[in-house]
Amino acid sequence: GEDVEQSLFLSVREGDSSVINCTYTDSSSTYLYWYKQEPGAGLQLLTYIFSNMDMKQDQRLTVLLNKKDKHLSLRIADTQTGDSAIYFCAGLGHGGSQGNLIFGKGTKLSVKP
Amino acid sequence: DAGVIQSPRHEVTEMGQEVTLRCKPISGHNSLFWYRQTMMRGLELLIYFNNNVPIDDSGMPEDRFSAKMPNASFSTLKIQPSEPRDSAVYFCASSLQRDNHEQYFGPGTRLTVT
């Protein structure tokens, strides 16, 4: 089944770009997602990319997908203190896990003023 | 729409007590998911329903855990008896249909078992 790995922590300065990386194992995942979790809240879908795409841009967010290396990244331009949160990478499961989202453990982004 | 609603937001109980967590999915959504989040294990899917029918409960830790969805607008997750290792944040999420990629999460229930 799908396994998703992320680094646990990232610290950046306000105004810099943040890049959060993720690797996954199931090459048949049709969608890959980034969710954001602010303190004390549930997860919120930030963006997603279909597996036949290499890149998707949405305002300050850029998602890059390297299918060959099974590597997904989320770039946040002009990072703000309000971007401090935990970011989860997730893949859509298949087979017995069809319809399930398989989440990584999350990357905690800290933005310093 | 109010989004996914969970209650209670916080629950503190003693070991051995029964705990019931409640969830109201977004109106019109056909799939409902229960997750558990801990520091050690991250976010784990416990069970999900499609059209009120449990599809996959392989994530349910043991027989002490049970979940029901009696109708399209309500689901419960019950732990009986509760144990300290059940302490976690429990999230409910819903989506339009099983293969829909947009899951909407509730705010979670923080459970502490002493």
Side-chain angles (χ1 to χ4, degrees):
Chain A
E2 178 75 282
D3 190 23
V4 178
E5 298 284 339
Q6 305 177 236
S7 52
L8 295 181
F9 301 98
L10 176 65
S11 180
V12 301
R13 291 210 173 273
E14 191 174 19
D16 289 349
S17 292
S18 307
V19 180
I20 303 171
N21 294 302
C22 169
T23 57
Y24 59 97
T25 57
D26 187 350
S27 59
S28 63
S29 287
T30 52
Y31 289 97
L32 293 149
Y33 311 83
W34 285 104
Y35 277 77
K36 176 184 180 182
Q37 184 181 30
E38 296 182 349
L43 278 70
Q44 174 193 4
L45 178 64
L46 267 185
T47 187
Y48 62 90
I49 188 167
F50 190 53
S51 58
N52 68 354
M53 299 169 64
D54 298 323
M55 184 182 85
K56 180 179 179 181
Q57 188 155 2
D58 183 1
Q59 299 182 338
R60 292 190 298 120
L61 305 179
T62 303
V63 179
L64 294 178
L65 175 60
N66 182 329
K67 286 194 71 176
K68 175 175 170 291
D69 295 337
K70 299 179 188 173
H71 182 266
L72 183 73
S73 67
L74 174 69
R75 179 178 180 269
I76 306 173
D78 187 24
T79 313
Q80 303 298 306
T81 54
D83 296 323
S84 294
I86 301 175
Y87 291 81
F88 291 88
C89 171
L92 190 62
H94 291 271
S97 300
Q98 186 176 6
N100 294 355
L101 287 180
I102 311 299
F103 288 90
K105 284 192 165 45
T107 299
K108 185 174 183 179
L109 174 64
S110 298
V111 182
K112 298 179 181 178
Chain B
D1 198 315
V4 175
I5 299 172
Q6 291 187 246
S7 64
R9 291 295 310 275
H10 302 274
E11 177 81 38
V12 181
T13 191
E14 292 183 346
M15 185 174 72
Q17 296 298 306
E18 178 180 293
V19 174
T20 300
L21 311 181
R22 296 173 176 80
C23 175
K24 182 181 188 312
I26 292 173
S27 177
H29 282 194
N30 297 324
S31 293
L32 183 140
F33 306 80
W34 281 103
Y35 292 90
R36 178 172 68 176
Q37 185 179 40
T38 61
M39 289 291 291
M40 290 297 292
R41 300 172 68 90
L43 197 65
E44 302 173 280
L45 177 68
L46 300 177
I47 185 171
Y48 77 93
F49 296 83
N50 192 48
N51 292 323
N52 311 338
V53 176
I55 302 300
D56 182 0
D57 65 354
S58 59
M60 296 285 263
E62 46 197 274
D63 292 345
R64 297 184 298 106
F65 285 68
S66 62
K68 293 182 180 178
M69 193 165 185
N71 57 62
S73 59
F74 183 65
S75 176
T76 58
L77 177 68
K78 186 178 291 187
I79 308 172
Q80 165 64 18
S82 58
E83 296 183 2
R85 61 193 169 119
D86 302 330
S87 298
V89 181
Y90 291 82
F91 288 104
C92 175
S94 69
S95 68
L96 273 174
Q97 58 191 30
R98 196 175 93 181
D99 293 336
N100 186 286
H101 48 248
E102 294 188 40
Q103 291 188 20
Y104 294 82
F105 281 72
T109 296
R110 181 174 293 276
L111 173 65
T112 303
V113 183
T114 59

